């Protein structure tokens, strides 16, 4: 059954999910950040069915997250590289990694540590860029910018 | 067809996806952060099929992201509340929101602005907590902590 599209929802989370929310997609993106560019390498590292991988890569190209470049003519071979739009997904990946490290790691601890060019581990915590304080979600309120949001949301808020 | 489980992969991103990666799940979590607790309110705000919503909520309860509490006997009614594990997903949500705001918003701009208790918009950018500098993914290298990662990854790195 075809999934509901989130593409037209008046919500940036939903629209992001429309691009990255299919099963396997964030792992494909993880590999792209690891420097993987060629189909066969994505395939061997992920252990994903070839047709599923092809579909995920194609969708990411369509959404401008990856760009496809041909590097060989005979036979034709392409590589897939993150665009600026794709690189901007890094905070999403880092946030998922941090949560998984904290809540889903086994007794052996986090599988991978990200090391920044400063030489230290990339710490990950949410800070307000205006006041510099750590952010607790209970300190946040949403301001709705669009006059006409979905009727369900408007009714629920009334 | 049942999806491949990511639960045993030696990767925190994969294990996070195992919990939050099903279609709709992050939108259910978004509503929980908006203060939604009751099934009927999740249902009306999301426009999601009742059986799918029930399945998502159940899974989040099983994973300890939401806790279910009964607030009424006749008929029995429950509410769903974020646990500490669930609240720790906030950076994932904020990162998705920021990317969607930047890359997927229409000419009307971001649908929602998150306002911090300091009175200003919650800015969102990835900063290294060790040195304080903004982070570009090309400045990051992974350090593998587990001696025996999946053979596919080990072979690819060799």
């Amino acid at each position: 059954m075809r999934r509901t599209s989130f593409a037209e929802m008046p919500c940036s989370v939903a629209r992001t999910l429309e691009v990255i929310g299919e099963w396997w997609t964030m792992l494909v993106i993880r590999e792209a950040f690891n420097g993987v560019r060629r189909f066969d390498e994505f395939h061997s590292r992920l252990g994903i069915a070839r047709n599923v991988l092809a579909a995920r890569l194609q969708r990411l190209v369509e959404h401008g997250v990856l760009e496809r470049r041909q590097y060989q003519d005979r036979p034709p071979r392409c590589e897939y590289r993150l665009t600026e739009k794709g690189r901007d997904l890094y905070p999403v990946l880092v946030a998922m990694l941090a949560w998984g490290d904290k809540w889903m790691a086994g007794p052996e601890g986090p599988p991978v540590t990200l090391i920044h060019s400063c030489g230290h581990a990339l710490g990950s915590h949410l800070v307000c860029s205006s006041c510099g304080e750590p952010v607790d979600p209970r300190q946040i309120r949403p301001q709705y910018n669009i006059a006409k949001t979905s009727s369900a949301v408007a009714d629920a808020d009334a």
Side-chain angles (χ1 to χ4, degrees), chain A:
Chain A
M1 194 178 92
R2 188 160 178 70
R3 293 190 190 97
T4 304
S5 169
F6 295 155
E8 299 304 316
M9 289 185 173
C11 167
S12 289
V13 177
R15 292 184 185 188
T16 296
L17 288 172
E18 182 70 17
V19 179
I20 66 164
E22 287 181 301
W23 207 247
W24 287 107
T25 298
M26 280 306 293
L27 300 190
V28 172
I29 289 166
R30 177 199 74 193
E31 290 308 305
F33 278 112
N34 282 337
V36 176
R37 294 181 183 171
R38 297 185 179 179
F39 186 95
D40 286 342
E41 194 178 359
F42 279 107
H43 181 245
S44 66
R45 288 174 70 102
L46 288 168
I48 181 178
R50 294 180 81 87
N51 64 323
V52 174
L53 175 58
R56 298 295 179 268
L57 289 168
Q58 174 60 23
R59 189 174 178 80
L60 290 171
V61 169
E62 285 167 0
H63 279 291
V65 170
L66 295 177
E67 58 188 6
R68 181 193 284 120
R69 296 187 200 174
Q70 187 166 317
Y71 65 86
Q72 184 179 291
D73 273 339
R74 300 176 192 136
R77 288 278 181 270
C78 299
E79 56 180 27
Y80 296 86
R81 303 177 68 139
L82 287 161
T83 59
E84 182 193 357
K85 183 175 182 179
R87 283 194 299 279
D88 270 0
L89 282 167
Y90 199 60
V92 178
L93 194 76
V94 168
M96 289 184 176
L97 188 87
W99 190 84
D101 279 352
K102 182 173 179 180
W103 293 104
M104 306 297 290
E108 70 283 1
V112 176
T113 301
L114 301 179
I115 308 295
H116 186 224
S117 52
C118 74
H120 298 282
L122 175 68
S124 192
H125 50 267
L126 189 58
V127 166
C128 175
S129 61
S130 298
C131 70
E133 291 300 303
V135 169
D136 179 297
R138 291 168 289 198
Q139 300 168 320
I140 302 292
R141 62 170 181 81
Q143 169 190 288
Y144 294 98
N145 300 325
I146 298 178
K148 191 171 179 56
T149 52
S150 77
S151 59
V153 171
D155 289 344
D157 280 344

Short mmCIF file of all heavy atoms in Angstrom, two decimals, chain A residues 56-79:
data_model
loop_
_atom_site.label_atom_id
_atom_site.label_comp_id
_atom_site.label_asym_id
_atom_site.label_seq_id
_atom_site.Cartn_x
_atom_site.Cartn_y
_atom_site.Cartn_z
N ARG A 56 16.29 4.00 -3.57
CA ARG A 56 16.64 5.02 -2.59
C ARG A 56 17.60 6.05 -3.18
O ARG A 56 17.44 7.26 -3.00
CB ARG A 56 17.30 4.40 -1.33
CG ARG A 56 16.42 3.45 -0.57
CD ARG A 56 15.20 4.16 0.04
NE ARG A 56 14.38 3.18 0.74
CZ ARG A 56 13.36 2.52 0.18
NH1 ARG A 56 13.04 2.74 -1.09
NH2 ARG A 56 12.68 1.65 0.90
N LEU A 57 18.60 5.58 -3.91
CA LEU A 57 19.56 6.50 -4.53
C LEU A 57 18.86 7.40 -5.54
O LEU A 57 19.09 8.61 -5.59
CB LEU A 57 20.70 5.70 -5.20
CG LEU A 57 21.67 5.01 -4.25
CD1 LEU A 57 22.56 4.03 -5.01
CD2 LEU A 57 22.53 6.03 -3.50
N GLN A 58 17.98 6.81 -6.33
CA GLN A 58 17.27 7.59 -7.34
C GLN A 58 16.43 8.69 -6.70
O GLN A 58 16.43 9.85 -7.14
CB GLN A 58 16.38 6.65 -8.17
CG GLN A 58 15.48 7.35 -9.18
CD GLN A 58 16.26 8.15 -10.21
OE1 GLN A 58 17.44 7.88 -10.48
NE2 GLN A 58 15.62 9.16 -10.79
N ARG A 59 15.76 8.34 -5.63
CA ARG A 59 14.92 9.32 -4.94
C ARG A 59 15.77 10.44 -4.36
O ARG A 59 15.38 11.62 -4.42
CB ARG A 59 14.15 8.61 -3.83
CG ARG A 59 13.08 9.47 -3.19
CD ARG A 59 12.28 8.62 -2.22
NE ARG A 59 11.27 9.40 -1.52
CZ ARG A 59 10.09 9.75 -2.03
NH1 ARG A 59 9.78 9.38 -3.26
NH2 ARG A 59 9.24 10.46 -1.32
N LEU A 60 16.92 10.09 -3.80
CA LEU A 60 17.79 11.12 -3.23
C LEU A 60 18.36 12.03 -4.33
O LEU A 60 18.56 13.22 -4.11
CB LEU A 60 18.91 10.47 -2.42
CG LEU A 60 18.43 9.82 -1.11
CD1 LEU A 60 19.56 9.01 -0.46
CD2 LEU A 60 17.91 10.87 -0.13
N VAL A 61 18.59 11.46 -5.50
CA VAL A 61 19.03 12.29 -6.64
C VAL A 61 17.89 13.22 -7.06
O VAL A 61 18.08 14.41 -7.27
CB VAL A 61 19.49 11.41 -7.81
CG1 VAL A 61 19.69 12.24 -9.08
CG2 VAL A 61 20.78 10.68 -7.46
N GLU A 62 16.69 12.69 -7.15
CA GLU A 62 15.53 13.50 -7.53
C GLU A 62 15.30 14.65 -6.57
O GLU A 62 14.92 15.75 -6.96
CB GLU A 62 14.27 12.64 -7.59
CG GLU A 62 14.22 11.74 -8.82
CD GLU A 62 13.14 10.68 -8.71
OE1 GLU A 62 12.41 10.63 -7.70
OE2 GLU A 62 13.03 9.88 -9.67
N HIS A 63 15.56 14.42 -5.29
CA HIS A 63 15.37 15.46 -4.29
C HIS A 63 16.58 16.37 -4.13
O HIS A 63 16.58 17.27 -3.29
CB HIS A 63 15.02 14.84 -2.94
CG HIS A 63 13.57 14.47 -2.80
ND1 HIS A 63 12.57 15.41 -2.72
CD2 HIS A 63 12.97 13.27 -2.76
CE1 HIS A 63 11.40 14.80 -2.62
NE2 HIS A 63 11.61 13.50 -2.65
N GLY A 64 17.62 16.10 -4.91
CA GLY A 64 18.78 16.99 -4.86
C GLY A 64 19.67 16.80 -3.65
O GLY A 64 20.48 17.67 -3.32
N VAL A 65 19.54 15.66 -2.98
CA VAL A 65 20.38 15.36 -1.81
C VAL A 65 21.70 14.75 -2.27
O VAL A 65 22.77 14.99 -1.70
CB VAL A 65 19.64 14.39 -0.86
CG1 VAL A 65 20.55 13.85 0.23
CG2 VAL A 65 18.43 15.10 -0.25
N LEU A 66 21.62 13.93 -3.31
CA LEU A 66 22.81 13.37 -3.95
C LEU A 66 22.82 13.83 -5.40
O LEU A 66 21.76 14.06 -5.99
CB LEU A 66 22.77 11.84 -3.93
CG LEU A 66 22.82 11.12 -2.58
CD1 LEU A 66 22.68 9.60 -2.79
CD2 LEU A 66 24.11 11.42 -1.84
N GLU A 67 24.01 13.95 -5.98
CA GLU A 67 24.08 14.15 -7.41
C GLU A 67 24.81 12.94 -8.01
O GLU A 67 25.69 12.35 -7.39
CB GLU A 67 24.80 15.45 -7.78
CG GLU A 67 26.19 15.59 -7.26
CD GLU A 67 26.78 16.97 -7.49
OE1 GLU A 67 26.06 17.89 -7.96
OE2 GLU A 67 27.97 17.13 -7.19
N ARG A 68 24.35 12.59 -9.20
CA ARG A 68 24.91 11.42 -9.88
C ARG A 68 25.84 11.89 -10.97
O ARG A 68 25.47 12.75 -11.77
CB ARG A 68 23.76 10.60 -10.48
CG ARG A 68 24.22 9.33 -11.20
CD ARG A 68 23.09 8.74 -12.03
NE ARG A 68 22.09 8.05 -11.23
CZ ARG A 68 20.80 8.39 -11.20
NH1 ARG A 68 20.37 9.41 -11.92
NH2 ARG A 68 19.96 7.71 -10.47
N ARG A 69 27.07 11.37 -10.98
CA ARG A 69 28.02 11.73 -12.02
C ARG A 69 28.58 10.46 -12.66
O ARG A 69 28.99 9.55 -11.96
CB ARG A 69 29.21 12.47 -11.44
CG ARG A 69 28.91 13.81 -10.81
CD ARG A 69 30.23 14.46 -10.46
NE ARG A 69 30.05 15.50 -9.45
CZ ARG A 69 31.06 16.15 -8.88
NH1 ARG A 69 32.32 15.86 -9.22
NH2 ARG A 69 30.83 17.08 -7.97
N GLN A 70 28.63 10.44 -13.96
CA GLN A 70 29.20 9.28 -14.64
C GLN A 70 30.71 9.41 -14.67
O GLN A 70 31.24 10.46 -15.06
CB GLN A 70 28.62 9.18 -16.06
CG GLN A 70 29.03 7.90 -16.77
CD GLN A 70 28.20 7.64 -18.02
OE1 GLN A 70 26.98 7.82 -18.02
NE2 GLN A 70 28.85 7.23 -19.09
N TYR A 71 31.40 8.36 -14.25
CA TYR A 71 32.86 8.42 -14.27
C TYR A 71 33.48 7.46 -15.27
O TYR A 71 34.69 7.45 -15.46
CB TYR A 71 33.44 8.17 -12.86
CG TYR A 71 33.21 6.78 -12.31
CD1 TYR A 71 34.07 5.72 -12.60
CD2 TYR A 71 32.13 6.51 -11.50
CE1 TYR A 71 33.86 4.45 -12.10
CE2 TYR A 71 31.90 5.25 -10.99
CZ TYR A 71 32.76 4.22 -11.29
OH TYR A 71 32.53 2.96 -10.79
N GLN A 72 32.64 6.65 -15.91
CA GLN A 72 33.15 5.65 -16.85
C GLN A 72 32.11 5.43 -17.94
O GLN A 72 30.90 5.46 -17.68
CB GLN A 72 33.40 4.35 -16.07
CG GLN A 72 34.02 3.21 -16.86
CD GLN A 72 34.24 1.99 -15.96
OE1 GLN A 72 35.08 1.98 -15.08
NE2 GLN A 72 33.45 0.94 -16.19
N ASP A 73 32.62 5.18 -19.18
CA ASP A 73 31.70 4.96 -20.30
C ASP A 73 31.35 3.50 -20.55
O ASP A 73 30.21 3.15 -20.81
CB ASP A 73 32.33 5.51 -21.59
CG ASP A 73 32.02 6.98 -21.78
OD1 ASP A 73 31.04 7.43 -21.16
OD2 ASP A 73 32.74 7.65 -22.52
N ARG A 74 32.40 2.64 -20.54
CA ARG A 74 32.15 1.25 -20.93
C ARG A 74 32.65 0.31 -19.85
O ARG A 74 33.86 0.11 -19.73
CB ARG A 74 32.87 0.94 -22.25
CG ARG A 74 32.42 1.80 -23.41
CD ARG A 74 33.25 1.49 -24.66
NE ARG A 74 33.02 2.51 -25.69
CZ ARG A 74 33.98 3.07 -26.42
NH1 ARG A 74 35.24 2.68 -26.23
NH2 ARG A 74 33.70 3.98 -27.33
N PRO A 75 31.77 -0.34 -19.10
CA PRO A 75 30.34 -0.03 -19.13
C PRO A 75 30.06 1.28 -18.39
O PRO A 75 30.91 1.74 -17.64
CB PRO A 75 29.71 -1.22 -18.38
CG PRO A 75 30.78 -1.66 -17.43
CD PRO A 75 32.10 -1.38 -18.11
N PRO A 76 28.91 1.89 -18.59
CA PRO A 76 28.62 3.15 -17.89
C PRO A 76 28.55 2.94 -16.38
O PRO A 76 27.90 2.00 -15.93
CB PRO A 76 27.25 3.58 -18.45
CG PRO A 76 26.68 2.38 -19.10
CD PRO A 76 27.81 1.47 -19.47
N ARG A 77 29.29 3.77 -15.64
CA ARG A 77 29.28 3.68 -14.18
C ARG A 77 29.14 5.07 -13.60
O ARG A 77 29.75 6.02 -14.08
CB ARG A 77 30.59 3.07 -13.67
CG ARG A 77 30.76 1.59 -13.94
CD ARG A 77 30.03 0.74 -12.91
NE ARG A 77 30.21 -0.69 -13.16
CZ ARG A 77 29.42 -1.44 -13.92
NH1 ARG A 77 28.38 -0.89 -14.52
NH2 ARG A 77 29.68 -2.72 -14.08
N CYS A 78 28.36 5.14 -12.56
CA CYS A 78 28.10 6.45 -11.93
C CYS A 78 28.57 6.45 -10.49
O CYS A 78 28.66 5.41 -9.85
CB CYS A 78 26.60 6.74 -11.90
SG CYS A 78 25.87 6.82 -13.52
N GLU A 79 28.84 7.63 -10.01
CA GLU A 79 29.05 7.77 -8.58
C GLU A 79 28.04 8.79 -8.05
O GLU A 79 27.52 9.62 -8.80
CB GLU A 79 30.48 8.15 -8.22
CG GLU A 79 31.00 9.39 -8.86
CD GLU A 79 32.44 9.67 -8.42
OE1 GLU A 79 33.19 8.73 -8.07
OE2 GLU A 79 32.80 10.85 -8.43
#
